[in-house]
Amino acid sequence: MAQITVAEVVLLLKEHNLLIESQFSSSTHHFDQIAYNSKLVVDNCLFFCKGNFKPAYLDDAQTHGATAYMSEKAYSNAKIPGFIVKNIQKAMSLVSAAFFGFPQDKLPTIAYTGTKGKTTSAYFTKAILDQTYDRKVALSSTINTVVGPTSKDVVKSNLTTPESLDLFTNMHKAVENGMSHLVMEVSSQAYKKNRVYGLHYDVGVFLNISPDHIGRNEHPTFADYLHCKEQLLVNSDACVFNADGTHLTDIYYTAKATTQPENIYIYGRQREGQETEYPIDFLYHSIEDSLTENGIQITANTEKAKKLHIDGAYHIAIPGDYNEGNAVAAAITSALMGAKPSEIEYGLSNTTVPGRMEIYQTKDHGTIYVDYAHNYGSLHSVLDFLKSQAPKSKVTVITGSTGDKGIDRREGLGKAINESADQAYLTTDDPATEDPKKIAEEIAQHIDPTQVATSYIADRKQAITKAVTESKKGDLVVVAGKGHDEYQKINGKNVPYEGDAAIVKNLVKGL
């Protein structure tokens, strides 16, 4: 049974120089539950006062049975003792890990970060390691959280990387369910907001970086965004990164600062005259590349790379040349965890990712692609790939952008559309407190209307319906942004929404 005593909490906080004051007279008192949502509090709970906190939440927690609280300040309305700390997010992460008996010590973990590709790489890796470890691999991804081997152990995720308490709760469940490994995505915000404070990974992968999540309520600068992402490498035993990305010197020396060179693995696409200041361990190139098929050849380029024995040809179930690097990253990390080439081949050739390059063929209309692409890097990759494969096809994009966050994405989406699309329907995508029409206008500022026929349709389903039904044979239609999301975030509420994939599937069935 999960528990923690006052003495253990105090010791942990002091070790990390976080404790300002403990209001407890007894150090032997123990807690049977921890929570940050007052609605979930039960008897003998330690309650965390975090985020946009209101004293009324503490009143509610006390009513439900909280016997202590933890906060960055003392509350006059508290009838229970408190732990006053310097940083509540860091404290909650440390206490959550300890409360559940440090489940990360029993769960070897591969962690992915990057502006794009995290989810696909995580799904590739889980599919491979499920072959190696008899389907006992847990997953923490943008789409789903998997804590056990049955369907009831799979739930939809709310965040790319959950709050620390939720993350350690899930890890504890995974351990209890007999899961042997964990594959997870780690966002820059997870480090910015200390959701993974104190967590260490067996393998950390830095896929790529391009400007994203920069603006109010997120990262103030690109330098801050890069710094937060690099923390994954600082907190990993083995580091893997992509030589085809940007800021490589910065990333390499960040990894090297805390990781021995023999535990750093670099991969990259094979190119003529390729030279770097550090050896590339694995080279790969396309051997099959079409709108529906994908395949790569991986070649070990250094002695330490050869020891992983993953040289060979691999078929990839998801199209797109930009997914080839994700597959290589998954092959390397899985091999580091003991996977054999046959298991890597099976995993890569049998992975499907909900909302990632889902293809819907029609008889007399266009081919429809549903993808979560939501920023310049991801949408550019999708559109550039489609254009390169079918340069004469008309490409139509349906997309919008989020409100109150990711402000910089709007310019990027407009630029990606302007570079590779022929037609665009701008629409609603989680506008939060903003006017979706104004968001669309900001995207449209970066689209040349003489090159790309651009219009605004507020109702997302209507926009998708128009694009699909009016498409002609040979056309390509990209529905970008929401994938399988079953709600729209509007004015603080989750408003039910069918999901892009469900709408397209029903439309295609009707056609």
Side-chain angles (χ1 to χ4, degrees):
M1 181 179 177
Q3 278 187 347
I4 194 167
T5 65
V6 169
E8 289 169 329
V9 172
V10 169
L11 179 62
L12 202 57
L13 297 175
K14 283 183 175 179
E15 282 179 345
H16 290 264
N17 194 30
L18 289 169
L19 184 65
I20 296 174
E21 178 191 5
S22 170
Q23 298 173 350
F24 272 85
S25 55
S26 169
S27 62
T28 58
H29 179 84
H30 70 266
F31 303 103
D32 297 317
Q33 190 216 17
I34 54 177
Y36 62 84
N37 184 340
S38 62
K39 303 299 180 190
L40 301 179
V41 169
V42 296
D43 287 345
N44 198 23
C45 173
L46 170 57
F47 180 64
F48 299 103
C49 307
K50 62 169 282 294
N52 298 317
F53 193 78
K54 299 176 182 177
Y57 299 156
L58 181 53
D59 289 335
D60 193 37
Q62 291 175 136
T63 301
H64 283 88
T67 53
Y69 73 97
M70 186 175 290
S71 172
E72 291 179 5
K73 69 174 188 178
Y75 284 94
S76 58
N77 63 315
K79 302 180 181 68
I80 53 178
F83 298 100
I84 313 305
V85 297
K86 295 176 182 177
N87 186 308
I88 186 62
Q89 289 283 163
K90 289 181 178 180
M92 185 170 75
S93 185
L94 292 168
V95 172
S96 298
F99 181 80
F100 290 111
F102 302 100
Q104 66 269 35
D105 295 343
K106 310 175 188 78
L107 208 59
T109 300
I110 294 171
Y112 284 97
T113 199
T115 303
K116 58 183 181 177
K118 296 187 296 295
T119 303
T120 302
S121 300
Y123 269 75
F124 277 146
T125 308
K126 174 172 164 54
I128 295 167
L129 292 179
D130 270 339
Q131 296 301 304
T132 310
Y133 295 104
D134 194 26
R135 305 187 65 80
K136 292 182 178 177
V137 179
L139 176 71
S140 179
S141 82
T142 302
I143 301 174
N144 285 330
T145 299
V146 180
V147 297
T150 68
S151 58
K152 68 179 177 61
D153 298 313
V154 182
V155 297
K156 181 164 176 53
S157 304
N158 292 318
L159 294 167
T160 295
T161 310
E163 289 287 357
S164 57
L165 193 157
D166 300 323
L167 176 60
F168 286 109
T169 299
N170 292 335
M171 292 173 86
H172 175 64
K173 288 178 182 176
V175 171
E176 286 198 319
N177 288 332
M179 304 303 268
S180 63
H181 292 73
L182 169 66
V183 179
M184 67 180 290
E185 298 179 45
V186 182
S187 66
S188 59
Q189 286 291 297
Y191 276 106
K192 185 72 176 172
K193 298 187 175 181
N194 291 301
R195 292 182 198 146
V196 290
Y197 182 76
L199 190 58
H200 204 80
Y201 316 101
D202 294 83
V203 184
V205 187
F206 195 115
L207 294 168
N208 50 65
I209 190 161
S210 57
D212 195 23
H213 296 287
I214 299 165
R216 63 178 185 267
N217 304 324
E218 295 187 282
H219 297 282
T221 62
F222 178 80
D224 183 72
Y225 178 52
L226 174 60
H227 170 76
C228 288
K229 283 209 169 292
E230 288 176 334
Q231 298 316 298
L232 181 91
L233 301 176
V234 174
N235 289 283
S236 298
D237 291 334
C239 298
V240 180
F241 73 87
N242 181 4
D244 299 322
T246 59
H247 301 273
L248 297 181
T249 300
D250 200 328
I251 294 165
Y252 176 68
Y253 283 103
T254 297
K256 196 176 176 183
T258 52
T259 305
Q260 292 290 342
E262 61 265 28
N263 292 323
I264 298 174
Y265 294 86
I266 306 168
Y267 65 94
R269 188 178 292 276
Q270 195 159 3
R271 292 185 174 91
E272 290 296 324
Q274 196 166 24
E275 288 186 20
T276 63
E277 60 184 283
Y278 31 75
I280 298 178
D281 299 291
F282 294 95
L283 294 169
Y284 71 94
H285 65 270
S286 298
I287 54 175
E288 190 177 23
D289 188 15
S290 71
L291 290 172
T292 56
E293 299 294 328
N294 203 351
I296 54 172
Q297 176 78 33
I298 299 176
T299 304
N301 197 41
T302 62
E303 288 306 311
K304 69 179 178 186
K306 291 173 183 175
K307 292 178 182 177
L308 292 184
H309 306 292
I310 62 171
D311 288 55
Y314 297 90
H315 178 256
I316 304 170
I318 306 173
D321 52 2
Y322 52 92
N323 281 317
E324 294 172 358
N326 299 331
V328 177
I332 296 168
T333 57
S334 299
L336 288 170
M337 288 292 189
K340 299 173 184 174
S342 59
E343 293 158 348
I344 295 171
E345 166 60 30
Y346 182 90
L348 294 179
S349 61
N350 287 277
T351 298
T352 56
V353 184
R356 290 290 194 276
M357 283 300 277
E358 291 190 13
I359 305 170
Y360 298 85
Q361 305 275 6
T362 68
K363 184 178 179 182
D364 298 311
H365 295 265
T367 301
I368 323 301
Y369 294 84
V370 174
D371 194 273
Y372 271 111
H374 60 274
N375 56 27
Y376 173 78
S378 53
L379 187 59
H380 167 78
S381 294
V382 171
L383 297 181
D384 186 61
F385 168 70
L386 294 178
K387 266 298 186 187
S388 68
Q389 294 297 319
K392 294 182 180 180
S393 292
K394 178 185 177 183
V395 175
T396 298
V397 179
I398 303 96
T399 194
S401 194
T402 54
D404 299 334
K405 69 174 187 176
I407 310 300
D408 58 310
R409 293 176 183 168
R410 299 167 194 180
E411 177 181 352
L413 291 170
K415 286 182 175 179
I417 289 168
N418 198 60
E419 289 166 358
S420 303
D422 301 291
Q423 184 177 41
Y425 291 108
L426 303 180
T427 187
T428 304
D429 181 350
D430 293 344
T433 64
E434 294 191 64
D435 180 351
K437 191 171 192 295
K438 289 185 177 179
I439 295 173
E441 287 170 352
E442 289 183 39
I443 298 172
Q445 286 175 9
H446 305 281
I447 303 173
D448 182 350
T450 64
Q451 291 188 66
V452 184
T454 306
S455 55
Y456 173 71
I457 300 176
D459 185 279
R460 191 174 178 96
K461 182 176 181 179
Q462 186 182 332
I464 295 170
T465 302
K466 183 175 176 64
V468 172
T469 56
E470 292 184 0
S471 67
K472 302 289 191 292
K473 197 168 186 177
D475 289 354
L476 305 177
V477 179
V478 178
V479 185
K482 291 194 67 64
H484 287 253
D485 287 354
E486 295 179 344
Y487 54 82
Q488 289 267 20
K489 295 179 180 178
I490 303 173
N491 291 320
K493 295 182 179 178
N494 288 339
V495 178
Y497 171 69
E498 288 177 64
D500 291 351
I503 291 170
V504 170
K505 187 175 182 180
N506 288 331
L507 283 170
V508 170
K509 194 182 295 182
L511 294 173

